[in-house]
Amino acid sequence: VLLCIALCSSAHAQVVLFVAGDPITAVDIEQRNKLNAMFGGKQKPRQEIINELIDEKLKIQAGKRFNFEVSETDVDASFANIAKNVGLSPDQFAEQLKQRGISASSLKARLKADITWGQIVRGRYQQSLQVGEKDIFEAESKTSEPKEKGVEYTLYPITFVVPRNSPAAA
């Protein structure tokens, strides 16, 4: 992966580095720092935040290589789910982010990377993640632990007849 430091700036933000052609700006780093703080994360060093952003860019690029394109609808649904979990509508949640100096698009970019990576992992390792009954029985037969015998219980209903107007103790 080609990483190069850029000393250029655009009209909106200074580009700190490129990850295989995709820029990471100073604003991206600042937004991620605020986002981490909002969700209860401790203050991370700048380099750790940059590494997170690099990882996200790489995840999205990997998704493109495997033809996993996450739709905006999926990202918006995930955003709406987070808003719902904090008891807000998506618009209210976006406004709350804005009041804290965080762009909703910053959180959506993070969600897109997470969703993309989840699709890649499920697609690549789906067969190895499925465990069948046969696999369970084989693993169980290889253990040296003594086998426990099952116990069968038979339950019978018991009916108590209590006359009307009986005392509570009855």
Side-chain angles (χ1 to χ4, degrees):
V1 176
L2 174 65
L3 298 174
C4 65
I5 297 180
L7 299 173
C8 59
S9 63
S10 66
H12 300 304
Q14 180 184 10
V15 176
V16 175
L17 60 98
F18 286 97
V19 179
D22 288 339
I24 293 178
T25 65
V27 172
D28 294 333
I29 296 166
E30 177 188 335
Q31 290 284 303
R32 177 53 52 89
N33 195 20
K34 289 179 181 179
L35 195 60
N36 288 344
M38 180 179 173
F39 286 107
K42 62 180 183 172
Q43 187 75 18
K44 293 183 180 180
R46 179 179 167 90
Q47 188 57 50
E48 197 171 324
I49 293 171
I50 291 171
N51 290 344
E52 280 182 15
L53 292 168
I54 290 170
D55 288 346
E56 287 176 12
K57 296 283 185 187
L58 294 174
K59 287 174 183 179
I60 290 174
Q61 290 172 5
K64 289 177 183 175
R65 280 195 308 274
F66 289 109
N67 294 322
F68 287 127
E69 286 293 324
V70 176
S71 70
E72 290 302 313
T73 306
D74 292 337
V75 174
D76 289 340
S78 184
F79 184 84
N81 191 33
I82 292 171
K84 179 181 165 190
N85 288 340
V86 295
L88 300 171
S89 72
D91 291 336
Q92 291 170 327
F93 185 56
E95 184 60 35
Q96 187 180 48
L97 289 172
K98 185 177 177 183
Q99 288 173 359
R100 295 181 182 200
I102 303 168
S103 165
S105 62
S106 294
L107 177 56
K108 288 182 179 184
R110 183 177 183 176
L111 293 172
K112 183 175 184 173
D114 290 344
I115 294 168
T116 301
W117 190 246
Q119 287 181 345
I120 290 169
V121 170
R122 277 192 303 279
R124 170 70 175 91
Y125 298 105
Q126 184 173 16
Q127 292 300 323
S128 64
L129 293 177
Q130 293 179 359
V131 179
E133 253 183 63
K134 180 182 173 187
D135 299 324
I136 293 170
F137 289 129
E138 283 178 14
E140 186 179 72
S141 68
K142 291 178 184 175
T143 62
S144 60
E145 297 175 16
K147 305 270 189 249
E148 291 185 24
K149 295 200 176 205
V151 177
E152 187 174 315
Y153 294 96
T154 304
L155 300 176
Y156 296 101
I158 299 174
T159 305
F160 294 99
V161 179
V162 179
R164 274 191 203 161
N165 300 326
S166 297

